[in-house]
Amino acid sequence: MAEVVIVTSKDDAGALVADEIGGLVVRRPDAVLGLATGSTPLPVYDALRPGLRGVDVSRVRGFALDEYVGLDPAHPESYRSVIAREVVEPLGLDPARIRTPDGDLAGIATAGERYEREITAAGGVDLQLLGIGTDGHIGFNEPGSSFASLTRVKTLTAQTRADNARFFDSVDDVPRHCITQGLGTILRARHLVLIAFGEAKADAVAGAVEGPVSAMLPGSAIQLHPHTTVVLDEAAASRLRLADYYRYTWEHKPDWQGL
Ligand code: PGA
C-alpha cells in the first residue's frame, strides 16, 4: 500500500517532499524528476529553493506530466511556461534538460511517442510528483483512462476545465485538449509522490488510496505501484478510513527507512 503521511500544513508537506528530492539529487546528481503543475506542488518548489542551495543541480533532468494542446508555448499558462517560471528558473535548473510534452498541433500525432522515447532515453523518472484532480485525475488522465496508457492526447472534462479556469481569463479560454503522460507512463516512475490539500480533494484522495482500483478514478492507479508516498493535510485526509493507522505507522516508522 501507499505510505500515507498526514501533515499539519502545506509548508510541512513541501519541506518533507523537498527533503526527499534534495537527498535524491545529492545521491544522484543526474536524477530524473517528474514535475507537476497546478497549485499543489508549489510548496515543494518553494521549499526546494533553500533546500537545494549549495547542491549541484546542473545535471538534473525533468519531465513535466502534461501540456495543453494548441496553446502557444509562450503563453504564460502553457505548462512549458509554468514549469520554466515556477521550477526551472527559481531552482536554477538547466532549461535544456527539462521537457514538457509537445502540444503543437503540427506534430501532435507523434508527440506522445516522441515524449515516451525521451523519457526512456533518460533512463526513466526517479521521482514523480503528482497532484490529484477533484475528479480523481492524475496528470490529465481523466476518468476512464486506461491503466496501460502512455503519453497521448486526451479531452479535458468540463470539471477540469472549470477547475483550471482560474488560470485563464475565462473557462472558454481553457484548451479542450491536452497531451499527458499516461497512467502506464506514470507507473513506470520509480517513486510516486502524490500530494493533496483541502476538503475538495478528500473524496478523490480516499478513492485513490483506499480504492477500489478503477479506471473511473485514475488516481487509484497508485495502488498498483510498489513505492508510493501520499502526503496530505488533515482536510484532504478527512475521508480516509485508515487515517489512524497511517498516523500510527508514521509515528513508528523505523529510522532506517526513508520515504
Ligand atoms: P491543483 O491541480 O494542484 O491545482 O489542485 C491538481 C491536478 O489537477 O492534478
Side-chain angles (χ1 to χ4, degrees):
M1 72 196 294
E3 174 168 51
V4 180
V5 187
I6 302 170
V7 295
T8 49
S9 69
K10 291 182 183 183
D11 286 349
D12 285 357
L16 184 75
V17 177
D19 197 47
E20 180 67 15
I21 294 173
L24 169 65
V25 173
V26 167
R27 277 195 315 277
R28 211 179 147 184
D30 62 347
V32 181
L33 303 179
L35 303 168
T37 50
S39 313
T40 306
L42 294 179
V44 176
Y45 303 139
D46 284 346
L48 275 172
R49 226 167 298 156
L52 286 178
R53 204 166 289 143
V55 177
D56 177 13
V57 295
S58 62
R59 291 166 61 205
V60 169
R61 291 164 298 175
F63 288 90
L65 278 169
D66 42 21
E67 178 59 288
Y68 292 113
V69 170
L71 192 64
D72 183 346
H75 188 288
E77 293 307 328
S78 79
Y79 285 169
R80 187 191 174 90
S81 298
V82 171
I83 292 281
R85 187 171 66 236
E86 290 170 356
V87 188
V88 177
E89 287 157 18
L91 301 184
L93 304 183
D94 177 358
R97 290 174 175 262
I98 309 300
R99 295 276 186 271
T100 44
D102 180 3
D104 187 344
L105 280 168
I108 199 66
T110 58
E113 216 177 290
R114 283 184 276 124
Y115 203 57
E116 290 290 329
R117 274 205 299 270
E118 283 195 275
I119 296 174
T120 303
V125 170
D126 290 308
L127 184 149
Q128 178 64 59
L129 287 173
L130 296 169
I132 186 165
T134 55
D135 64 359
H137 71 220
I138 53 174
F140 267 143
N141 294 282
E142 300 286 30
S145 294
S146 162
F147 286 123
S149 53
L150 302 179
T151 307
R152 77 261 184 248
V153 172
K154 289 288 289 180
T155 306
L156 297 174
T157 62
Q159 176 70 57
T160 298
R161 291 183 75 226
D163 285 348
N164 287 8
R166 67 189 193 280
F167 297 115
F168 293 84
D169 289 338
S170 89
V171 70
D172 297 330
D173 294 335
V174 183
R176 285 178 200 283
H177 294 100
C178 64
I179 174 165
T180 180
Q181 288 190 30
L183 295 176
T185 318
I186 291 168
L187 287 173
R188 286 177 188 164
R190 288 181 271 281
H191 182 191
L192 304 182
V193 178
L194 187 147
I195 307 168
F197 304 122
E199 172 78 22
K201 301 289 177 75
D203 282 331
V205 165
V209 174
E210 295 181 340
V213 171
S214 165
M216 285 306 287
L217 203 137
S220 65
I222 63 170
Q223 294 178 52
L224 302 174
H225 195 283
H227 187 190
T228 300
T229 308
V230 178
V231 183
L232 307 169
D233 67 2
E234 292 284 349
S238 59
R239 310 240 161 90
L240 290 172
R241 274 184 289 170
L242 299 182
D244 286 342
Y245 176 60
Y246 306 137
R247 287 194 187 90
Y248 180 86
T249 303
W250 180 247
E251 230 170 84
H252 297 281
K253 191 177 170 73
D255 288 339
W256 53 266
Q257 208 180 43
L259 266 194

